Amino acid sequence: MRLTSTSTFAFDPDLRFQHLELAKFHAYWNLKRGERAFPSRADLAPRDLVSLLPWVHMYDVVDGSEDFRIRLYGTEIDKLFGIVDFRGKSISTLPSAVFERLRQHLMQVLKTRAPVRACTTRSVLPNQNYKSAEDVYAPLSSNGEDIDVIMAVTHLEMSK
């Protein structure tokens, strides 16, 4: 497997998913995309993703890709942040280490104009105890050309 690594996570351009849920989401994204470069947000139905919804997070691309606004995140992602609600806010309002990692993931999607798999064995949040995290970030486009939303699904392997 070819991984592009940083000090805290790695990108896998070959999309060799370790967790079936992420592979299924990627297949669903491809199905909804069809012959287009990207599906639109309207193409994706929450009823098709019920088991993944607690782990879904979405980001609006704003200011010509200079910033990202947190559109939504599922209940399991919400638990990671505690009592602070970041929905509707810039990702720059997140704790700095989370912001830096997330921005790199989102920028990788914009750079490659394709889904991105990211994985890590280390949290950047204090008191987060998991063995590994695997994410897929997938671009969405309302006009078929410009990426205006990035949808992600996360899988956490919790420590015992």
Side-chain angles (χ1 to χ4, degrees):
M1 172 178 6
R2 179 177 53 123
L3 294 174
T4 305
S5 184
T6 72
S7 60
T8 61
F9 66 89
F11 289 125
D12 171 18
D14 298 325
L15 302 176
R16 295 179 192 261
F17 296 107
Q18 300 299 304
H19 295 92
L20 184 60
E21 304 90 5
L22 301 182
K24 285 182 179 180
F25 171 73
H26 182 249
Y28 176 76
W29 180 88
N30 267 322
L31 176 72
K32 295 300 181 176
R33 175 174 70 99
E35 297 298 317
R36 300 170 293 168
F38 319 106
S40 72
R41 165 61 192 95
D43 292 327
L44 308 180
R47 71 178 173 276
D48 296 337
L49 303 167
V50 171
S51 66
L52 299 177
L53 292 178
W55 296 101
V56 166
H57 36 123
M58 295 177 74
Y59 306 90
D60 292 322
V61 179
V62 294
D63 297 332
S65 78
E66 290 300 312
D67 194 12
F68 302 92
R69 184 175 41 252
I70 302 164
R71 183 178 210 155
L72 67 84
Y73 48 84
T75 55
E76 293 299 320
I77 302 297
D78 185 44
K79 289 176 187 177
L80 298 175
F81 292 124
I83 60 171
V84 180
D85 185 358
F86 290 101
R87 290 171 294 187
K89 298 179 181 168
S90 167
I91 65 168
S92 65
T93 62
L94 294 168
S96 62
V98 175
F99 163 72
E100 290 298 329
R101 181 184 286 180
L102 179 59
R103 187 170 197 297
Q104 289 179 53
H105 294 176
L106 298 171
M107 292 302 291
Q108 185 73 9
V109 173
L110 294 179
K111 177 183 170 186
T112 61
R113 296 183 55 81
V116 168
R117 175 182 173 258
C119 49
T120 186
T121 57
R122 186 169 52 149
S123 175
V124 293
L125 285 173
N127 303 319
Q128 295 297 314
N129 207 11
Y130 58 80
K131 292 192 291 188
S132 66
E134 181 181 26
D135 308 279
V136 59
Y137 291 82
L140 305 175
S141 174
S142 57
N143 67 10
E145 186 172 316
D146 300 313
I147 299 169
D148 49 15
V149 175
I150 298 174
M151 182 175 184
V153 180
T154 294
H155 184 279
L156 292 181
E157 190 76 29
M158 300 309 288
S159 297
K160 296 190 194 258

